[in-house]
Amino acid sequence: MSLSSARTASPRTTLWPLIALFGIVSLALAIAGYWYLYRQRHLYVRLFRAEQARRQAQEEIRTTLYSIGDGVIATDAAGGVARMNPAAEALTGWREADAKGQPLAQVFSLVNEETRMGVESPLHRVLQVGAVVGMANHILLIARDGTERPVADSSAPIRDASSAIAGMVVVFRDQTEDRAARTASAILPRIFEPFFTTKGPGRGSGLGLAQVHGIVKQHGGEIGVSSEVGVGTAFAIYLPAVAAAAEPAVAPAEPSAGAGQTILIVEDDPILREALTDIVELLGYRTLSAAHGRQALTLLDQHAEIGLILSDLVMPEMGGRALLQKVKDRGLTTPVVILSGHPLDDELARLQALGLAGWLLKPPAMEELAALLAQALGGM
């Protein structure tokens, strides 16, 4: 081979290593690109599945939250309402859409039932304690429309991945029925007691069921009561069966009638005072009435025609015992008859020493009251 031929072949020969290197680099780049795409694809798949799992978990939490019978409110770290279920909407009167972002204390407004003072927001207690906290007793939830309900609740922190408090959740329930059940169990044993009433002042005397109980007992019977919250109350009366036709009953003697004498009725309960006035007037007497002993003394000074004082024993300002003492201190001979809701026992001797003309348990039978009034007036 000539020198010129060797010189011509040498450059081409030196290109092959470069070509081989370029091919290797290109193959490596291709493999790396494929591997990158492969990893990216699997990363996207994992992220997609993780997002699906997160959304599924959120949906499960949402489903659980919205199906719970108790009220549930979730807040953010600042105490703004983030979510609330339908039970919470019903109890607070706030729709979730309107409540979102509102301060918890505005949506979940609490007061102490006894003092009517506002109650500290559960958020503050959770931030201080950093754990589950319960509510004190006698707490009322004030709904958006002003409705008040006794509630019981517990609050717990919501923590993020770093264990920092990211919000809180409040779970609460209406205690109205529970309280009604407890109240009913306390009331039923006393329902037939004279003057026991659950109505407010001036709305009930507490004598109706006591009279029914007395009538049933007088006929040798029994009366019972059962009550269930949300259902109703039932009374059962049992009377003895009559084996044969009863003989004609002898008409009871007419109660002793008055002759128009004036009786001063002293009773602090306006309904009882009015009832006693009607009964005494029905017996043939004129009446004056006072709400307590001091008022009765004023009427005694103004009306010399008062022939007898019919007084309750326990009253505000001045009761029957003090009134009897005042009558004696003034040297008056006006007889005093006491009506008491309980037996006088040892106190009777002290009252008789003050000049007590007689006494009867409340509520007095009309015949007994008529006889005692006639006896006391006849002894003047």
Side-chain angles (χ1 to χ4, degrees), residues 50-68:
E51 179 64 16
Q52 276 189 321
R54 186 185 67 82
R55 291 183 180 182
Q56 183 177 355
Q58 283 188 335
E59 187 60 30
E60 289 175 354
I61 293 173
R62 181 181 177 85
T63 301
T64 302
L65 172 68
Y66 282 77
S67 62
I68 291 177

Side-chain angles (χ1 to χ4, degrees), residues 308-371:
L308 182 142
I309 301 172
L310 179 62
S311 175
D312 186 15
L313 182 63
V314 180
M315 292 177 290
E317 294 197 38
M318 182 183 289
R321 185 184 304 102
L323 175 60
L324 181 59
Q325 180 70 59
K326 290 290 185 181
V327 170
K328 181 181 180 181
D329 293 345
R330 292 186 179 193
L332 300 176
T333 58
T334 308
V336 178
V337 172
I338 291 291
L339 296 179
S340 174
H342 57 84
L344 298 181
D345 297 330
D346 296 339
E347 191 176 14
L348 180 58
R350 293 192 295 271
L351 294 175
Q352 288 174 335
L354 294 175
L356 179 67
W359 75 282
L360 290 172
L361 278 173
K362 290 182 178 181
M366 188 172 182
E367 295 80 7
E368 293 178 348
L369 179 61

